[in-house]
């Protein structure tokens, strides 16, 4: 049970001879047991190791631990066992330091205990961080940049055949995260130029992934987090960019962070929120409406998925590139007329392409969303009927108040679901859409209630409009209903509710974006 298979991987390090890295992978049951032990013993472990060690069961503790040999790869107990062996050594060091009663002050000659070796090198590396002057730190970052560029060059090759996979890899493991530790631990003024060069590498890789150049506004949006409607392509100079656009009182500094420690997540959120607001304030009314929609909950679900053809959450390369271009507010019209109604010119933001009644794309998108939702309702063990209501109302022979009818859903009463996809860029409602998120969706829900409530009530049904805008922002009633579906799905499929919710919204989002991309492509 404690054994594992060894896999020999090549280990290459600049300036060193090629070596072998043995990777030990053990039994799944043992690793699961280890995770359970970690969860149960967490507080006892903290009490045992503090205040000597902070690398185990301590968020924001040690940044990096280096060892020559150890336990199996990915073992949940690995860091605990390493720290346990190290604990006596750490305690002995602490007793020596306490007895010597010394401190190190920048600018003064430090006094060390005689038991410790002292290095007089002007430049050195400690815990992966360069300590030295401008030239040393810049060269250190430059060497890390060259290592990171290898991945970026490989992503360019991946993007030629699958830009969705390439962009996913770029934002997960190819951008800021490659140098995030150095960006947090090295003074910005020493390495700013080196970081700018790395950020340029990221920008070029991004353009290779999507196949087109980006304007400043589009690139600013791409750098935003997914919760703000961006593509999560974070840059290493984000804090410097933040400081250049805010008042002195709001600036982030190393001293302010040390005096009042906060998490990296909170710092990133502060920078992200400011960048979004800055972009929003200088946008046109149409782009303000677009930015409010793309930053809505679940709107970026299509960008959060790990692409998978077998699960239906993968986009064709051409469709993906067009979708990203449209998402970032870049011109998708190519200055042409609509292929199905030549009297209309295509607008840059794609409003006409996504609302054009000719060509059948509106109906195809509606039916695709309906069928995707029906699939998940079946998985949640719901009794479903599709397109119900035609012929039931003599005065409205073509009326179908139920795109989907659920039997025994709302306290035993059938629920009639009416799906509507609306555009926040409609000229008649653009002012409201650009000022208040959800105004168009609320108006759509109200209109659907006026049209369907009386008819549904006569049949003993409960009318529930499911309104979603073309960017994937859902109305209030739709969000509540889909959350209930996710809860039922979690119960019947034995899934965490968060996973069930993610699966539901990401599939609906991919379905919507795919239909939008196809509608745009058919008209240019």
């Amino acid at each position: 049970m404690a054994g594992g298979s060894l896999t020999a991987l090549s280990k290459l390090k600049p300036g060193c001879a090629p070596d072998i890295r043995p990777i030990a992978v053990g039994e799944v049951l043992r690793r699961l047991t280890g995770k359970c032990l970690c969860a149960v013993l967490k507080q006892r472990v903290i009490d045992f190791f503090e205040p000597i060690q902070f690398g185990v069961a301590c968020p924001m503790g040690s940044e990096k631990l280096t060892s020559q040999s150890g336990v199996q790869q990915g073992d949940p107990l690995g860091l605990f066992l390493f720290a346990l062996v190290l604990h006596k050594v750490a305690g002995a060091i602490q007793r020596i330091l306490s007895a010597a009663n010394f401190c190190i002050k920048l600018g003064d000659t430090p006094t060390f205990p005689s038991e410790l070796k002292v290095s007089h090198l002007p430049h050195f590396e400690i815990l992966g961080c360069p300590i030295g002057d401008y030239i040393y730190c810049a060269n250190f970052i430059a060497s890390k940049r060259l290592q990171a560029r290898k991945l970026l060059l490989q992503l360019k090759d991946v993007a030629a055949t699958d830009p969705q996979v390439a962009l996913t890899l770029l934002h997960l493991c190819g951008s800021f995260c490659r140098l995030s530790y150095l960006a947090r631990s090295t003074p910005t003024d020493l390495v700013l130029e080196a970081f700018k060069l790395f950020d340029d590498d990221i920008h070029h890789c991004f353009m290779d992934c999507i196949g087109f150049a980006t304007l400043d506004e589009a690139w600013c949006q791409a750098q935003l987090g997914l919760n703000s409607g961006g593509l999560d392509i974070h840059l290493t100079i984000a804090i410097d960019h933040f400081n250049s656009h805010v008042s002195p009182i709001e600036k982030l500094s190393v001293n302010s962070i040390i005096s009042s420690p906060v998490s990296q997540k909170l710092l990133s959120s502060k920078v992200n929120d400011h960048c979004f607001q800055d972009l929003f304030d200088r946008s046109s009314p149409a782009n303000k409406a677009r930015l409010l929609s793309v930053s809505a909950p679940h709107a970026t679900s299509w960008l959060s998925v790990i692409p998978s053809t077998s699960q239906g959450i993968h986009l064709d390369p051409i469709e993906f590139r067009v979708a990203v271009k449209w998402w970032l507010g870049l011109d998708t019209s190519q200055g042409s007329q609509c292929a199905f109604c030549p009297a209309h010119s295509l607008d840059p933001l794609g409003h006409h392409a996504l609302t054009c009644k000719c060509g059948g794309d509106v109906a195809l998108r509606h039916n695709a969303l309906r069928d995707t939702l029906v699939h998940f309702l079946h998985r949640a063990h719901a009794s479903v009927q599709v397109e119900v209501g035609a012929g039931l109302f003599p005065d409205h022979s073509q009326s179908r108040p139920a795109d989907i009818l659920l039997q025994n859903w709302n306290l035993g009463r059938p629920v009639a679901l009416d799906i509507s996809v609306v555009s926040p860029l409609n000229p008649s409602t653009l002012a409201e859409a650009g000022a208040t998120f959800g105004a168009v969706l609320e108006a759509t829900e109200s209109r659907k209630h006026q049209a369907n409530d009386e008819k549904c009530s006569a049949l003993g049904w409960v009318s529930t409009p499911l309104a979603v805008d073309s960017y994937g922002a859902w109305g209030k009633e739709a969000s509540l209903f889909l959350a209930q579906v996710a809860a039922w799905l979690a119960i019947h499929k034995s899934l965490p509710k968060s996973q069930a919710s993610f699966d539901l919204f990401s599939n609906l989002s991919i379905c919507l974006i795919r239909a939008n991309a196809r509608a745009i492509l058919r008209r240019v």
Side-chain angles (χ1 to χ4, degrees):
M1 183 64 73
S5 61
L6 278 177
T7 302
L9 301 180
S10 61
K11 181 180 180 180
L12 301 177
K13 190 173 182 179
C16 300
D19 200 353
I20 295 296
R21 181 195 302 272
I23 302 296
V25 180
E27 293 288 339
V28 174
L29 182 59
R30 181 188 181 280
R31 297 171 70 167
L32 289 173
T33 304
K35 293 192 68 152
C36 293
L37 286 173
C38 287
V40 172
L41 300 176
K42 179 178 179 179
Q43 190 56 51
R44 292 177 62 184
V45 170
I46 294 174
D47 296 339
F48 179 79
F49 284 123
E50 287 187 355
I52 298 176
Q53 297 194 68
F54 294 94
V56 181
C58 180
M60 298 177 63
S62 299
E63 289 287 343
K64 183 176 180 181
L65 289 173
T66 304
S67 62
Q68 297 299 319
S69 61
V71 294
Q72 297 172 1
Q73 189 76 6
D75 191 334
L77 295 173
L79 190 55
F80 167 73
L81 295 175
F82 178 85
L84 192 61
V85 172
L86 192 67
H87 196 59
K88 286 189 176 181
V89 178
I93 292 174
Q94 186 187 49
R95 287 191 294 273
I96 293 173
L97 299 184
S98 298
N101 190 25
F102 78 94
C103 64
I104 301 174
K105 296 182 179 180
L106 295 178
D108 297 334
T109 301
T111 301
F112 293 94
S114 58
E115 293 87 347
L116 298 180
K117 294 182 179 180
V118 180
S119 173
H120 297 284
L121 293 176
H123 313 297
F124 57 93
E125 173 189 347
I126 182 170
L127 294 179
C129 175
I131 306 296
D133 60 15
Y134 173 83
I135 296 177
Y136 176 78
C137 292
N139 289 337
F140 187 92
I141 300 298
S143 67
K144 297 297 182 181
R145 174 198 169 205
L146 290 177
Q147 296 177 29
R149 286 188 67 187
K150 296 178 182 178
L151 172 62
L152 300 182
L153 292 174
Q154 291 175 326
L155 290 182
K156 181 179 178 179
D157 296 333
V158 174
T161 55
D162 199 328
Q164 187 181 5
V165 169
L167 189 61
T168 301
L169 290 173
L170 178 62
H171 89 77
L172 287 178
C173 54
S175 54
F176 173 71
C177 57
R178 299 290 294 180
L179 298 182
S180 59
Y181 174 69
L182 291 172
R184 298 201 304 266
S185 60
T186 312
T188 307
D189 56 337
L190 294 180
V191 292
L192 183 59
E193 294 303 318
F195 280 148
K196 286 181 178 178
L197 292 174
F198 178 65
D199 290 343
D200 288 341
D201 294 339
I202 296 174
H203 194 177
H204 286 299
C205 181
F206 172 73
M207 290 191 292
D208 289 334
C209 287
I210 58 178
F212 53 83
T214 55
L215 301 175
D216 288 344
E217 291 78 7
W219 180 228
C220 287
Q221 182 185 338
Q223 296 171 47
L224 297 173
L226 294 178
N227 290 338
S228 297
L231 304 182
D232 218 21
I233 310 298
H234 295 301
L235 300 185
T236 54
I237 59 172
I239 290 182
D240 181 70
H241 171 78
F242 171 82
N243 284 339
S244 65
H245 287 82
V246 300
S247 66
I249 298 177
E250 296 177 295
K251 289 184 185 293
L252 295 174
S253 67
V254 174
N255 289 335
S256 66
I257 295 172
I258 292 175
S259 62
S260 180
V262 294
S263 68
Q264 177 65 38
K265 183 177 181 181
L266 184 59
L267 287 173
S268 299
S269 176
K270 185 177 179 68
V271 174
N272 186 83
D273 291 347
H274 171 80
C275 291
F276 176 86
Q277 192 60 50
D278 178 63
L279 179 62
F280 183 83
D281 290 342
R282 53 192 172 91
S283 295
S284 65
N287 274 310
K288 285 183 177 180
R290 180 181 63 82
L291 288 171
L292 287 177
S293 289
V294 298
S295 60
H298 308 297
T300 52
S301 294
W302 69 285
L303 293 165
S304 305
V305 300
I306 303 300
S308 170
T309 303
S310 61
Q311 296 182 32
I313 49 177
H314 185 270
L315 295 175
D316 176 85
I318 296 177
E319 293 172 355
F320 181 77
R321 290 191 174 99
V322 167
V324 171
K325 193 173 186 179
W326 162 75
W327 188 262
L328 295 177
L330 295 169
D331 190 351
T332 59
S333 67
Q334 300 181 8
S336 57
Q337 306 295 115
C338 178
F340 294 98
C341 46
H344 292 87
S345 298
L346 295 175
D347 59 286
L349 295 180
H351 169 69
H352 175 78
L354 302 184
T355 57
C356 179
K357 301 296 183 182
C358 304
D361 289 288
V362 170
L364 288 172
R365 179 178 60 192
H366 171 276
N367 293 343
L369 281 172
R370 178 202 63 198
D371 294 345
T372 300
L373 180 55
V374 166
H375 168 73
F376 277 90
L377 287 168
H378 280 309
R379 291 185 63 197
H381 292 200
S383 176
V384 180
Q385 292 177 270
V386 177
E387 299 295 346
V388 180
L392 296 178
F393 309 98
D395 296 336
H396 306 277
S397 59
Q398 300 302 316
S399 176
R400 290 189 179 91
D403 292 323
I404 301 173
L405 183 66
L406 296 178
Q407 299 289 346
N408 303 321
W409 183 267
N410 189 338
L411 300 179
R413 299 175 64 191
V415 172
L417 305 176
D418 190 355
I419 301 172
S420 300
V421 183
V422 295
S423 172
L425 306 184
N426 192 314
S428 62
T429 58
L430 189 57
E432 294 88 343
T436 307
F437 166 71
V440 175
L441 293 169
E442 288 184 17
T444 302
E445 289 176 342
S446 177
R447 187 173 66 252
K448 287 295 183 179
H449 276 301
Q450 292 176 7
N452 295 330
D453 280 1
E454 185 177 348
K455 291 180 286 187
C456 289
S457 180
L459 296 172
W461 301 348
V462 177
S463 174
T464 302
L466 302 184
V468 58
D469 74 21
S470 49
Y471 292 97
W474 293 89
K476 291 181 180 179
E477 293 190 58
S479 297
L480 290 173
F481 173 79
L482 293 174
Q484 188 177 4
V485 174
W488 281 44
L489 184 65
I491 292 172
H492 289 289
K493 295 300 177 182
S494 300
L495 295 171
K497 188 176 179 180
S498 59
Q499 183 62 51
S501 178
F502 177 80
D503 291 346
L504 174 61
F505 280 103
S506 59
N507 275 269
L508 289 170
S509 182
I510 284 281
C511 175
L512 176 66
I513 298 300
R514 180 187 290 117
N516 288 343
R518 290 175 179 176
I520 293 171
L521 285 168
R522 292 185 68 201
R523 284 164 174 76
V524 295

